[in-house]
């Protein structure tokens, strides 16, 4: 693993590897950087690295690498910049979708391309062979080779993103968007298996969300935004399931939506509930659950009528008609008649479950007998005023099938109504959330209902009837279908009848003289007679008292209206206060319940953990003991078997025998058996040795005799085969001679043909040789010209290099001469400067010499009046003379500068110091020339000397 000081270096390295075609190494480099613990602080460079990383993963279809990288990046930016993770995931899904679409378009282009050599041929031979071998078409093969890998990677991308974003409150919108795109993918490409897996994944995510409530960044379903996103996802899942005709998955989606609503105890928006009930009607109709289908239509009608104010009268009429026809399509008999207790309980639980899904609250008490039924549904339709909204045809068919008594022509009266109903329906307006209503789907069920009603009414009137007469009364079906319907009705105790095919009659049986049908018939007959009497003798109209009440009616209405408004406001306030109190109480109870539940769960978890450890330790000890006992018993049984086989009495006695004792006894027994076996083997080996030696001694003469017999037989066989070979060779030679005589006649034609072929080939060979020689000569000429050109070019380059080299040497020589000239001029200038300095020093020495002589002359005149010295002091006088001269020289002189310390010392001592030797003088005691004249000429001499020296040197320049 290569470490980088900065993430930018890793990105540059990856780009370099990509440029040279090493994408795998580039991907590994970025993966090592992302998974490294060194770069845990988010920065903008990491986002660019992730973009490049997901691009490489998509190009190479490395889904596992992409998942690892995204998980690590989520850890990095979860608490800092979660929007960066969102951008990276969106880029990842965009690239995967693009690649899948490109592969699909490429496969379509390959399929549509016309790539055949023979336009009259249908297929190429290789295509036919490949199709016969593989058993699939060209499009299937291209899809499998090009499209399927990218579709698999796209599906893996959706699963990876959903797994990364699950239970994350900060990325709920992206989670919902990913789920929607995955649903659209399944819908577009008809991926039913993947759709089922996707629904299961989302269902597990929600279950884990409820199971682990102490997670960090857990979505809060009580928040309206989160709840709306989850509901939208489930409703999209429901829509796609119905479009793919996965009805079982659609029903599970409905259960998911209902569970989500029960979990948060909130009802979604009416527009979503409309979709919910529309899909429920489709699911129940497909599953032939006509009762639940009718209840779902009823709830849909109530919802549309209550909340959809823009619904037109025509749309409401069609929806109401669908409700009534769906209720009529429910079989009129009770399917649970004669069922067992277990089946009744199962049916009750199923009704309770379906009622919760539809939205009807049933009593769960055992004594409550209220269930979802056809009669209760029709009663509710009448009480809710649904019958006032339906079309006239639906009203007529309802009254005909439910309230009228026409034993002979019920089906004939229903036939034109059913024909009109089948033509009703169509698409609704945009104001309605229901896309389409088709009443024709209920016609088969209504025909079955009309047939059953006819059979019921005929059974109340007739005892026997011919089959032809009954078939003529029912124009919908043949008698075979009517017979199947009647069998179902008899099975459910709806009608009692028999079919006698020998006599060609139908027999209607009655169990008692005073049956329920007869009582209903008499009651209906009485009602009809009462209506006829009222029509013949209408009742007298009494005078109305409305005229006396008209003056005060306006005041009474106004007062009553005000009183009702006040009462309504009071009721609303009381309801709101009661709801608020109930809500507070529910919250407090929920919080208490959650606290108690948490405490109980923690205690239960601790208790379960302790019990689990105890049971685990006990189980381990028990298993060890049982294993030892089993091993001991196995050893004991094995030892007893061995002892019984040998015919000995068992040595082991007692029931409590340890494993160690058995092992010691077994080892002793095995050692003894091994020794006995070795002795037996030695004895057996000796016996075998004697037997083998005896057999060989007896078999030696027999083998020699068999060998001699075999030699004689093989000699005879050789002679016989040799004679046969000679005869065959003679026959083959004679045949060859005959073939030669037959072919010798064609020798002339053969030679003529051979000469013609050889001459033709010789001419062709000469032509090809000439062409080859000409081509070789051209190639040689072109190569010769190229070599000549190259030689001239090299010669030109050589001359140019020599010229350049000569120019460089001349330039260097000119520079050397110029340097020597400058050096010589500098030397001459320095020599002139030294000469000028020497002349200056010579003048200064002359001036000093003159000054010294002048001082000596002055000192000599001053010393003349002095008395003559004694002879003993002549030496001292001679020595004092120079001292006086030095003092006079040290005295102030207007032409010579004397330092202050020297003047002070002269004044204090009264005597001049000894004369110093001039350091800067060029003269030496031996009269020679000093070696540092040139240096001293530029030294720090006197002021006048230095100025004159520099002035003379400046003039010389």
């Amino acid at each position: 693993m290569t470490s980088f000081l900065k993430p930018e270096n890793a990105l540059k390295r990856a780009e370099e590897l990509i440029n040279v075609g090493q994408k795998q190494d580039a991907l590994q480099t970025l993966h090592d950087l992302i998974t490294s613990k060194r770069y845990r602080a988010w920065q903008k460079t990491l986002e660019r690295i992730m973009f490049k990383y997901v691009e490489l993963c998509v190009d190479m279809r490395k889904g596992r690498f992409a998942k690892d990288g995204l998980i690590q990046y989520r850890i990095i930016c979860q608490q800092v910049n979660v929007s960066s993770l969102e951008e990276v995931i969106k880029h990842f899904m965009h690239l995967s979708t693009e690649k899948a679409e490109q592969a699909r378009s490429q496969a379509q282009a390959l399929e549509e391309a016309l790539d055949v050599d023979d336009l009259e041929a249908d297929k190429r031979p290789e295509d036919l062979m490949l199709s016969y071998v593989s058993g699939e078409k060209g499009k299937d093969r291209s899809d499998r080779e090009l499209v399927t890998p990218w579709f698999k990677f796209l599906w893996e991308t959706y699963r990876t993103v959903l797994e990364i974003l699950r239970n994350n409150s900060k990325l709920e919108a992206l989670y919902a968007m990913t789920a929607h795109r995955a649903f659209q993918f399944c819908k577009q490409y008809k991926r039913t298996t993947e759709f089922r897996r996707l629904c299961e994944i989302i269902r597990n995510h929600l279950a884990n969300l409820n199971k682990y409530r102490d997670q960090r960044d857990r979505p809060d379903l009580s928040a309206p935004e989160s709840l709306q996103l989850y509901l939208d996802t489930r409703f999209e899942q429901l829509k796609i399931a119905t479009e793919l005709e996965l009805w079982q998955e659609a029903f599970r989606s409905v259960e998911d939506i209902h569970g989500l609503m029960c979990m948060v105890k909130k009802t979604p928006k009416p527009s979503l509930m409309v979709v919910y009930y529309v899909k429920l009607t489709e699911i129940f109709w497909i599953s032939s659950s006509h009762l639940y289908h009718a209840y779902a239509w009823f709830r849909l009608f109530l919802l549309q009528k209550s909340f959809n104010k823009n619904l037109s009268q025509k749309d409401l009429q069609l929806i109401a008609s669908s409700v009534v026809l769906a209720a009529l399509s429910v079989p009129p008999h009770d399917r649970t008649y004669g069922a067992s207790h277990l089946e009744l309980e199962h049916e009750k639980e199923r009704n309770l479950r379906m009622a919760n899904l539809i939205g009807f609250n049933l009593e769960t008490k055992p004594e409550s007998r209220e269930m979802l039924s056809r009669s209760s549904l029709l009663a509710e339709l009448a009480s809710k005023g649904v019958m006032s909204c339906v079309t006239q045809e639906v009203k007529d068919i309802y009254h005909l099938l439910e309230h009228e008594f026409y034993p002979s022509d019920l089906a004939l009266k229903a036939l034109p109504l059913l024909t009109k109903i089948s033509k009703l329906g169509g698409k609704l307006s945009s104001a309605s959330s229901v896309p389409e209503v088709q009443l024709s789907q209920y016609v088969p069920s209504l025909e079955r209902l009309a047939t059953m009603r006819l059979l019921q009414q005929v059974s109340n009137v007739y005892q026997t009837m011919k089959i032809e007469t009954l078939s003529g009364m029912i124009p919908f079906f043949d008698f075979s279908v009517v017979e199947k319907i009647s069998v179902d009705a008899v099975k459910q105790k709806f009608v009692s009848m028999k079919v006698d095919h020998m006599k060609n009659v139908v027999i209607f049986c009655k169990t008692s003289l005073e049956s329920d049908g007869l009582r209903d018939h008499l009651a209906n007959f009485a009602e009809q007679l009462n209506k006829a009497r009222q029509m013949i003798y209408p009742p007298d109209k009494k005078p109305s008292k409305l005229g006396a009440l008209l003056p005060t009616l306006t005041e009474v209405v106004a007062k009553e209206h005000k009183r009702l408004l006040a009462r309504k406001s009071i009721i609303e306030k009381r309801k709101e206060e009661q709801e608020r109190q109930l809500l507070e109480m529910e919250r407090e109870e929920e919080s208490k319940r959650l606290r108690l539940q948490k405490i109980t769960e923690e205690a239960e978890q601790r208790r379960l953990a302790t019990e689990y450890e105890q049971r685990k330790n006990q189980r381990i000890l028990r298993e060890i003991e049982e294993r030892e006992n089993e091993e001991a018993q196995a050893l004991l049984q094995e030892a007893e078997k061995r002892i019984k086989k040998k015919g000995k009495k068992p040595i082991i006695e007692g029931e409590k025998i340890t494993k160690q004792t058995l092992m010691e006894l077994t080892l002793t027994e095995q050692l003894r058996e091994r020794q006995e076996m070795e002795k037996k083997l030695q004895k057996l080996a000796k016996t075998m040795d004697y037997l083998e030696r005896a057999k060989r001694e007896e078999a030696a003469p027999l083998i020699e005799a068999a060998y001699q017999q075999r030699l004689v037989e093989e000699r005879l066989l050789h002679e016989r085969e040799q004679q046969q070979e000679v005869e065959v060779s003679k026959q083959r030679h004679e045949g060859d001679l005959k073939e030669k005589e037959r072919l010798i006649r064609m020798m002339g034609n053969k030679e003529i043909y051979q000469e013609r072929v050889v001459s033709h080939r010789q001419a062709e060979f000469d032509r090809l040789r000439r062409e080859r020689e000409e081509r070789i000569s051209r190639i040689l000429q072109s190569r010769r010209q190229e070599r000549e050109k190259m030689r001239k070019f090299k010669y030109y380059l050589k001359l140019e290099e020599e010229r350049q080299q000569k120019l460089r040497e001349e330039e260097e020589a000119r520079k050397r001469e110029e340097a020597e000239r400058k050096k010589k001029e500098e030397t001459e200038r320095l020599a002139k400067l030294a000469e000028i300095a020497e002349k200056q020093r010579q003048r200064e020495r002359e001036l000093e010499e003159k000054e010294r002589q002048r001082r000596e002359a002055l000192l000599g005149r001053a010393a003349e009046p002095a008395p003559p010295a004694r002879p003993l002091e002549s030496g001292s006088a001679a020595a004092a003379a120079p001292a006086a001269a030095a003092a006079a020289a040290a005295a102030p002189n207007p032409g010579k500068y004397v330092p202050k310390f020297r003047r002070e010392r002269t004044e204090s001592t009264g005597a001049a110091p000894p004369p110093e030797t001039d350091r800067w003088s060029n003269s030496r005691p031996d009269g020679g020339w000093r070696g540092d004249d040139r240096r001293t000429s530029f030294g720090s001499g006197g002021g006048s000397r230095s100025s004159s020296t520099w002035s003379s040197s400046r003039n010389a320049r």
Side-chain angles (χ1 to χ4, degrees), residues 164-177:
I164 290 172
L165 300 179
R166 65 184 180 92
N167 302 340
N168 196 327
S169 59
K170 298 181 180 179
L171 295 172
E172 289 177 337
L174 184 58
Y175 179 85
M177 185 195 74

Side-chain angles (χ1 to χ4, degrees), residues 811-823:
E811 183 67 21
E812 290 176 0
R814 186 182 61 78
K815 289 181 180 179
R816 284 197 301 273
E817 291 177 358
E818 184 69 20
E820 290 177 359
R821 184 180 60 79
K822 288 182 179 180
K823 185 177 180 181

